[in-house]
Amino acid sequence: MGLTYQSTGQLTTREMFDAKSDNCDYIIALAGNPNTGKSTVFNALTGLRQHTGNWPGKTVQRAEGNYIYKSHRYRLIDLPGTYSLLSNSADEEVARDFICFARPDATIVVLDATCLERNLNLALQVMEITNKVVVCVNLIDEARRKKIQVDAAKLSERLGVPVVSTAARSNEGLPRLIELVSDVASKRVCPKPQPVSYSKDLEEAIARLEPRVRDVIGKDINPRWLTLRLLDGDTRLLQAIENHLNAGRTAPVVHGRRRDYSNGA
Amino acid sequence: MSDTITLNCLGNGSIALVKEVVAEGLTRRRLLDLGLVPGTKVEVIRRSPVGDPIAFNIRGAVIALRREVAGKVLVSPWG
Amino acid sequence: MAHKTLTPLLEEAQKIAGPHQGQFRDSIVTGIYRTAEQIAGDVVSHTSTKRQDLDRQIDNIITSPVWGFPVMFGVLAVVFWVTIAGANVPSGILATGLFWIEARLTDLFMALNTPGWLHGFLVLGVYRSLAWVISVMLPPMAIFFPLFTLLEDLGYLPRVAFNLDHFFHKAGAHGKQALTMSMGFGCNAAGIIACRIIESPRERLIATLTNNFVPCNGRFPTLIALVSIFIAGSVSLSLSSAVATLAVAGLVVFGIAVTLSISWLLSKTILRGEPSSFTLELPPYRKPLVGQVLVRSVLDRTIFVLSRAIVIAAPAGGLIWILANTTVGDASVLSILAGWLDPLARFMGLDGFILLAFILGLPANEIVLPILIMSYVCGGAMTELASLTDLRHLLVDQHGWTWLTALCTMVFSLCHWPCGTTLFTIQREQHNWRWTLLAAMIPTTVGVIICMLINNLVRAIGLV
């Protein structure tokens, strides 16, 4: 591929992980559409123990904060709010690359209960990259006012990942969210996302290519997801993946705890 | 399902079904990612004070598109 | 170790996809949305949509052809009025308190028999500029930033972008530039960072190069002080905050007009190109979390901007005092420098000290007015400056300011080089010193030209 490293223009995993991963036990990503109350969830979980850039990064900047649950330290990384992970905008690439390359111990996807269908689009995309997902159906207080009911148990069954309803502004459901995140991060619970089923042509193409992808890449990156990206011909992403694969061989992509992990723990 | 028009031609309050997105490249990706895939129901909500852009209800969210972009979405009026 | 490459896999994928690659892309998106649709259909049940109707009714007003723009102007005016009217009293109290401390510090230095230059440098230079920055800036910021964050959280800003997009479109710019511009009211450096939400590099550059035309929080106090003295000072006291508000809002509208004109000019010349597609969500209105807004806007915005101002103002204050008190022959270095600038400055309706204050204020716009006052005061007889009345006395009676001087100073404050932090941010975002240089050149050129025009026109007509 003719793209240079520079031209992918994105933060490298290492840069993104300058988050001093040494003094925390788990790294948790927080994804979601814009306007889902994601920042409220973030603020409610981390309180004032957070680093933001020069601006309270509503959409543009990285924010991170810590919380402690049952004597484990969790670092929460607030990803940019996006509708999708497919369009290659800067925000979407940051979010996608973080989930894909930094491999957080769990990813919380915040959904707006009043607009579930649109929000599920992002959740399904995240679940194609990683299985370690906890879905947080937020703004259920708004939904109640609008007389909208969301059946969280059924949603969890359909998606194959833990689901919790929350109203972050009044702290409702957040203790349960923290518990579910801890279950997934510590591998006590291993979510099995239901794959999206595509059109017949596409599924056939996936079936042909996926075994080859498995052979070449191993389990480092979800093979079905990578197969889809190959069929899509998303060269910018593929370049980023190539960089990631090769960076991982010459230098530890992530410092500290992560290195031990990849050395066979 | 006979007559096909572009999204920007619909009046406020009307509803239509998406037939096809005729844009290319990034614009096409954007529009699809917004949920404008064939068969999607779209409602025209309002126009800005000067008539452009136009706000649509697309899958539960209110999204504003410039007139020329909305012109890249073929729809058939519904109901 | 072998270099891993995906190229063979990609080739294989292309073979499998054949001519259908475009269709696969559509199938992927369609598949995901279909799945989302089915799941949502199964787990969500509606019983009413009354609430959404309320949102629509609000939007009917604030984006209506009749009321859209008046409401926008009104909201802007209310925010400025609350800031101006609300900041007066705490500003006065802070100033009184801080200058009382200055007097005590002076007593202390006298009691300790310290040399005059040390007292001058530390108290009259460093401390006094700090006191100025805090008393002038803290109250308006502590009011403005929370108000702005409230509007943001409420969901009003996207409606502003919706209303204004047409004009940005006509100017060849991106609709989200209305949002980055709004951010610029808080801090231009933050506005520059916010330009990342604009994906097209061309339009992002336009937004970056013109962001400085909206006054940031460091410049509002200067504008507000000058407006209060010169425009509001000429009407009765009860009307003065209202008039000041209108004047500041007028300046902001002027800034927006300049933003649009320069954006248009750029998109017709060095940044030619088609406007890119633009999508903007108009989210449902939400009741903001007032407590959270207060905490976050105070912590993230107010303290950040204030601490930056203090870090820069303290050494600058010391430097100005040295410049004002180091003499060559019988003139201070400061007045010599001002003297060199004076002819150009006069032609622009300013004077040498004003232009010098803008130049020395490069590190932070907040300190332009304090520098000016200090450089006036160091040569004059005044030792303390507790109120706007004293400021008026200093400017008008001792240094011959007219309303034209004030107007030109305000225009130049609106249109001149961005502060050091903003320039640094532009460089960091664009990685190209040419754009950074241009970001400084464009507003400066505009400011110089407009000031010259205003000054010479007004004088030619004989209004002053």
Side-chain angles (χ1 to χ4, degrees), chain C residues 4-188:
Chain C
K4 276 198 182 182
T5 171
L6 295 172
T7 313
L9 285 177
L10 184 63
E11 280 165 3
E12 209 169 313
Q14 275 158 354
K15 218 163 24 192
I16 294 173
H20 302 297
Q21 195 161 356
Q23 283 169 28
F24 277 163
R25 164 79 207 187
D26 288 16
S27 308
I28 291 172
V29 181
T30 310
I32 295 173
Y33 264 114
R34 288 269 154 77
T35 310
E37 210 175 290
Q38 283 162 10
I39 296 176
D42 283 358
V43 304
V44 178
S45 47
H46 293 250
T47 41
S48 157
T49 53
K50 222 176 188 166
R51 178 63 212 251
Q52 207 180 355
D53 292 343
L54 181 66
D55 275 9
R56 288 198 185 182
Q57 276 161 15
I58 298 174
D59 275 342
N60 282 345
I61 298 167
I62 68 171
T63 64
S64 92
V66 182
W67 293 108
F69 293 111
V71 166
M72 225 163 61
F73 192 77
V75 168
L76 193 70
V78 166
V79 168
F80 293 147
W81 181 78
V82 172
T83 308
I84 293 170
N88 264 336
V89 175
S91 255
I93 295 172
L94 273 174
T96 314
L98 291 169
F99 284 109
W100 181 83
I101 294 175
E102 186 190 295
R104 299 295 81 75
L105 281 174
T106 303
D107 291 348
L108 182 70
F109 274 74
M110 303 257 268
L112 293 176
N113 252 334
T114 46
W117 61 265
L118 189 65
H119 169 256
F121 178 76
L122 287 179
V123 177
L124 301 180
V126 174
Y127 178 82
R128 184 176 286 180
S129 59
L130 275 183
W132 249 98
V133 167
I134 293 173
S135 60
V136 171
M137 286 190 58
L138 184 59
M141 275 196 326
I143 299 172
F144 182 85
F145 278 146
L147 282 179
F148 194 78
T149 315
L150 280 179
L151 284 182
E152 212 174 335
D153 278 21
L154 200 64
Y156 182 64
L157 292 188
R159 271 77 184 179
V160 171
F162 182 64
N163 284 346
L164 289 176
D165 175 62
H166 180 72
F167 304 102
F168 284 100
H169 189 189
K170 278 271 181 284
H174 199 284
K176 284 186 184 158
Q177 195 174 328
L179 295 179
T180 64
M181 196 178 72
S182 309
M183 297 276 187
F185 285 127
C187 167
N188 291 127

Side-chain angles (χ1 to χ4, degrees), chain A residues 35 43 55 58 83 112 121 139 146-147 149 151 154 158 169 196 198 212 231-233 242 246, chain C residues 3-6 12 21 25 32-33 35 42-45 47-48 153 183 190 281 286-287 292:
Chain A
N35 309 308
N43 288 333
W55 196 254
K58 290 258 171 202
Y83 295 107
D112 177 349
N121 176 48
L139 299 171
K146 293 187 182 178
K147 307 268 189 277
Q149 283 88 37
D151 186 339
K154 205 172 187 182
R158 291 293 304 266
R169 36 192 302 158
V196 172
Y198 292 104
R212 288 276 297 120
L231 290 170
D232 186 14
E242 230 169 54
N246 293 305
Chain C
H3 182 83
K4 276 198 182 182
T5 171
L6 295 172
E12 209 169 313
Q21 195 161 356
R25 164 79 207 187
I32 295 173
Y33 264 114
T35 310
D42 283 358
V43 304
V44 178
S45 47
T47 41
S48 157
D153 278 21
M183 297 276 187
E281 182 180 357
R286 300 246 159 79
K287 200 172 67 191
Q292 206 178 48

